[in-house]
Amino acid sequence: MAQRVRKAVLPVAGLGTRFLPATKAMAKEMLTVVDRPLIQYAVEECLAAGIEEFVFVTGRNKGAIEDHFDSAYELEDTLVRRKKTAELKQTEDSTIKAGNAIFTRQQKPLGLGHAVWCARHWIGREPFAVLLPDELTIDKPSCIGQLVAAHDKTGGNVVAVMNVPREQTKSYGIAAVKPEKDGLQEITGMVEKPKPEEAPSTLALIGRYVLTPEVFDHLDKHETGAGGEIQLTDGMAKMIGQQPFHALTYRGQRYDCGNRLGFLEANIAVALHRADTAVDTRALLSRLLKG
Ligand code: G1P
């Protein structure tokens, strides 16, 4: 039986230049989708999958993320006095349990592989999840939940993939796989941001991973790859053939909140999806579209 996945690494050191000026003084992960910051969706996705310990790999100007997951005594006290029970619950529910979150800084922007490597001492020698918070998935069971369930069966590494148009392979890590068996595909190769004509397939990594700690042994070497950065994809590729490595095709909705249109789409989609906002949002959209 595979060791249980208890910890997640959340790389949040990125500058968010695509959202300037909004991100001039604010972490991009604190941008809100409807009523909660993007980073909270990733944390909730983990909690729903039974993952309760978090390593946030942060950078300068990311302090609001740490404050967000702390309790907010003055605010909660005021809400209690004003009998704002629902608001109090919202606030308390976004607090991570005491001692369950660590914030460590990636001091130089050397790439995603380096950001994940910065978490190595807090992960130790056990399997762990990685979630890129820019990628928002809202279906149930959650994307990371599906990977954890697959890992329980197969052990080793399991990553989520989705088919993308071939001209987009240069934006993603791309996996080469064997035919599907029991919903999983064995990975035979992996390459970061290949040109469309060189991509081994159109199966893109979508920022959800369950990895074994051996990936740190490869990232330790600090080898650079695509864009001159230390790539997580390259570290993972070194484990292929050494231990089980599977791709799970995610069939739910995924929103790329790393760009403005994807972020806008996520806001509309989440508002249409949620029971408390769906009807009003639908009416609002049809009014705007008529205008
Ligand atoms: C990162 C990863 C890439 C993955 C992508 C998903 O790239 O390096 O393998 O496909 O996230 O969003 P980035 O978008 O940070 O350049």
Side-chain angles (χ1 to χ4, degrees):
M1 172 116 175
Q3 208 179 342
R4 198 165 73 87
V5 180
R6 303 183 305 153
K7 301 181 182 180
V9 176
L10 301 171
V12 291
L15 294 177
T17 48
R18 269 178 267 179
F19 286 92
L20 282 168
T23 48
K24 192 175 165 192
M26 187 182 80
K28 68 170 171 170
E29 297 79 11
M30 291 302 293
L31 293 170
T32 49
V33 173
V34 183
D35 58 3
R36 59 198 61 202
L38 205 41
I39 187 67
Q40 192 173 330
Y41 288 89
V43 166
E44 288 177 356
E45 187 180 333
C46 288
L47 292 173
I51 300 170
E52 295 200 334
E53 294 175 40
F54 301 94
V55 185
F56 293 84
V57 181
T58 72
R60 293 168 67 77
N61 299 324
K62 299 283 180 165
I65 298 176
E66 193 165 348
D67 290 341
H68 181 74
F69 291 110
D70 193 3
S71 67
Y73 174 74
E74 299 86 342
L75 174 63
E76 288 164 22
D77 189 51
T78 305
L79 295 174
V80 168
R81 276 189 282 110
R82 292 186 185 166
K83 299 192 171 34
K84 300 250 180 204
T85 322
E87 290 81 353
L88 180 66
K89 185 164 175 1
Q90 290 285 358
T91 312
E92 288 175 341
D93 282 355
S94 59
T95 304
I96 293 178
K97 281 188 202 160
N100 280 17
I102 281 283
F103 297 81
T104 188
R105 284 192 181 190
Q106 182 190 24
Q107 291 149 334
K108 288 185 183 154
L110 299 179
L112 178 61
H114 178 258
V116 171
W117 176 82
C118 289
R120 68 202 179 284
H121 295 308
W122 308 107
I123 296 298
R125 302 305 291 183
E126 58 181 278
F128 64 102
V130 178
L131 289 87
L132 307 188
D134 278 359
E135 300 273 0
L136 178 61
T137 60
I138 53 172
D139 295 82
K140 290 198 175 80
S142 71
C143 185
I144 205 69
Q146 293 180 33
L147 297 187
V148 168
H151 170 267
D152 285 345
K153 281 194 228 143
T154 62
N157 305 276
V158 193
V159 297
V161 295
M162 274 182 116
N163 244 316
V164 295
R166 188 163 272 278
E167 63 273 17
Q168 288 179 17
T169 60
K170 57 184 184 303
S171 303
Y172 295 98
I174 299 290
V177 296
K178 287 188 182 169
E180 187 166 321
K181 205 172 135 216
D182 302 329
L184 290 175
Q185 291 175 290
E186 202 180 315
I187 294 189
T188 56
M190 214 182 267
V191 46
E192 180 69 9
K193 303 197 171 77
K195 291 184 191 145
E197 60 277 18
E198 288 166 10
S201 80
T202 53
L203 287 177
L205 305 176
I206 55 158
R208 294 291 183 276
Y209 315 81
V210 168
L211 300 177
T212 57
E214 282 74 21
V215 74
F216 294 127
D217 305 337
H218 301 293
L219 295 174
D220 259 339
K221 302 195 176 99
H222 284 202
E223 284 167 6
T224 53
E229 296 190 340
I230 300 168
Q231 296 292 354
L232 179 61
T233 302
D234 297 341
M236 292 190 298
K238 299 261 170 55
M239 296 192 287
I240 298 167
Q242 309 289 314
Q243 45 177 292
F245 211 133
H246 292 95
L248 182 146
T249 298
Y250 179 63
R251 302 191 198 278
Q253 293 301 316
R254 147 192 178 260
Y255 306 99
D256 178 5
C257 294
N259 69 75
R260 285 180 293 184
L261 207 63
F263 178 70
L264 187 61
E265 183 189 6
N267 264 286
I268 297 167
V270 171
L272 286 171
H273 180 83
R274 268 174 45 168
D276 61 334
T277 48
V279 173
D280 288 347
T281 307
R282 202 168 283 280
L284 172 83
L285 287 175
S286 75
R287 199 169 73 235
L288 286 174
L289 288 172
K290 265 189 222 141

